[in-house]
Amino acid sequence: MATNYSPDVEARLRADADEVLSRYPQSRSAIMPLLHLIQSEDGFCSPRGITLVADILGLTRAQVSAVATFYSQYRRRPNGEYNVGVCTNALCAVMGGDIIWEELSQYVGIGHDETTADGKITLEQLECNAGCDYAPVVMVNWEFFDNQTPASAKQIVDDIRAGKDVHPTRGPNKVQTFKEISRVLAGFEDGLVDEGPAGGDATMAGLKIAREQGWSAPQPTGGEEQQ
């Protein structure tokens, strides 16, 4: 199949794909990381990327597209350099997430799943970010910005527009671009996994109290082990 990639780019993508394929006993199981690999090159699941993945896996373009259109992390049009997601699920919403979303959407001038004209920011209204202990939460390229306010959320997008590094509350010291984080999701380490804290005080409070009190989980009895 013709992919419309330049020969050197296609050769590089195929070499990366071979590394991904080596991790799976059945090649079709690699379809999801390969789609992330395409996004790391094109910024979305492009038609030429769909064609390349189909050719590598021996599938039809329709079969690959069926996966790319099912999961929300796969984009079917160019994504912004930074994906800014505002959680408006129950807890974040009542803690201020709805207000953050409304003000930020108006401030940036775009709505859900829309991208600014300069290609810098895609805005997304998210369901749970699994950071309820820090509500309301904003995520930028899947990195956490905890306990946000309308003002702090606007500062994030101001910094992105100004070309400044943005620094998450937890995780790496700065947020990587959408293409860079897509390569990580494809299975290629960026060396930042141990950079910065993963769990903050609110997350670890229960564990800290349990250790101070000497609490532990009940141990199974012999009868429970046999069931």
Side-chain angles (χ1 to χ4, degrees), residues 135-148:
V137 171
V138 170
M139 293 196 87
V140 181
N141 291 347
W142 326 126
E143 301 294 353
F144 287 100
F145 289 75
D146 302 325
N147 303 122
Q148 292 296 291

Side-chain angles (χ1 to χ4, degrees), residues 87-100 131-137 147-150:
C87 183
T88 57
N89 207 343
L91 185 56
C92 276
V94 300
M95 294 294 288
D98 280 345
I99 297 172
I100 292 173
C132 303
D133 37 359
Y134 297 100
V137 171
N147 303 122
Q148 292 296 291
T149 66

Side-chain angles (χ1 to χ4, degrees), residues 71-75 77-80 83-88 100-102 104-116 121-129 142:
Y71 295 99
S72 62
Q73 277 189 313
Y74 298 129
R75 313 301 191 187
R77 56 181 179 274
N79 202 77
N83 196 85
V84 178
V86 181
C87 183
T88 57
I100 292 173
W101 168 258
E102 291 168 7
L104 193 60
S105 179
Q106 184 177 15
Y107 186 67
V108 181
I110 56 176
H112 171 70
D113 199 25
E114 295 179 351
T115 301
T116 54
I121 296 168
T122 293
L123 200 59
E124 188 174 15
Q125 190 171 13
L126 295 176
E127 291 301 319
C128 187
N129 284 328
W142 326 126

